[in-house]
Amino acid sequence: MDLMEYQAKQLFAKHGVPVTVGTVITDPSEAAAAAEAEGGRVVVKAQVKTGGRGKAGGVKLAQDPQDAVAKAEQILGMDIKGHTVYKVLVTEASDIDAEYYVSFLLDRANRTFLAMASVEGGMEIEEVAATKPEALAKIRVDALEGCTPQKAQEIADAAGFPEVAKDQVVAILQQLWRVLVDEDATLVEVNPLILSPAGQVLALDDKVTLDDNANYRHASHADFVDRDNTDPIELRAKEFELNYVKLHG
């Protein structure tokens, strides 16, 4: 199960990852108060389980609370790759000195976990891998050993993180590993992981995919189901623990 960005942020915050949590709203009238709570100048972001939100116009900068209302009106109800936007995240607008990329994922082909990191974040990682493969570090992580401080240091060194950010990145990598293990996830990803002018490293845009087979261990994961964009028959089938696959025809 893929999570929406605000849900991923909640999980990250739970495990100590430095994030900008923001406020989730479902009506444009709520945007002004949300923007005021976040400092006035905010980013309004569509909450859908798909990539390419920015290119589709689902991520907009608002200069003040009233502008946030206007931006929320533009985004709510949008269709992004077949996903209707029912919620937006209003979060503080962060000043950025540098953008990075980090992730852990289950590498089924090689029966291991894989850490990926790059100092060239902010763009689609597939583009980085295709155009500048040398800029993307890939480090295997043993499931039993996990992301130890030494392994996190190895990942940070392989990616070439600058000294001003490296210690924080090493700590964040270990926290992200705890999210992966403790929440039974198959992917945790931050793009971008930013360095602020004040020297703070923050997980700005977050993604998590949970293993549905482990749902019985996590009752709270039921709250992450996107009921607005899920077939009602699928929701009904889950109530009876049935596997339902809708086919054409």
Side-chain angles (χ1 to χ4, degrees), residues 56-170:
V59 179
K60 297 182 183 294
L61 177 66
Q63 298 297 338
D64 55 54
Q66 289 309 309
D67 191 23
V69 173
K71 296 298 192 295
E73 287 176 341
Q74 294 169 19
I75 296 173
L76 282 166
M78 283 181 63
D79 182 280
I80 300 178
K81 298 181 179 178
H83 297 259
T84 302
V85 180
Y86 293 102
K87 299 177 182 178
V88 297
L89 176 66
V90 180
T91 184
E92 65 180 85
S94 301
D95 294 322
I96 299 172
D97 266 5
E99 294 182 322
Y100 311 131
Y101 172 92
V102 294
S103 69
F104 288 104
L105 58 93
L106 176 61
D107 184 358
R108 289 185 172 87
N110 294 301
R111 299 182 180 183
T112 188
F113 288 97
L114 184 67
M116 297 198 296
S118 176
V119 293
E120 298 192 16
M123 65 178 76
E124 293 183 6
I125 199 61
E126 293 83 4
E127 184 178 338
V128 175
T131 59
K132 297 182 67 177
E134 72 281 358
L136 181 62
K138 297 180 179 181
I139 306 293
R140 291 188 180 186
V141 181
D142 181 85
L144 296 178
E145 178 183 296
C147 186
T148 62
Q150 295 76 20
K151 179 61 71 172
Q153 187 73 47
E154 178 187 348
I155 297 166
D157 288 341
F161 283 99
E163 291 301 323
V164 67
K166 187 175 290 185
D167 287 347
Q168 294 179 72
V169 171
V170 167

Side-chain angles (χ1 to χ4, degrees), residues 181-182 184 211 213-221:
V181 173
D182 292 352
D184 284 305
D211 184 353
N213 293 314
N215 282 346
Y216 69 95
R217 287 202 288 259
H218 305 278
S220 62
H221 286 183

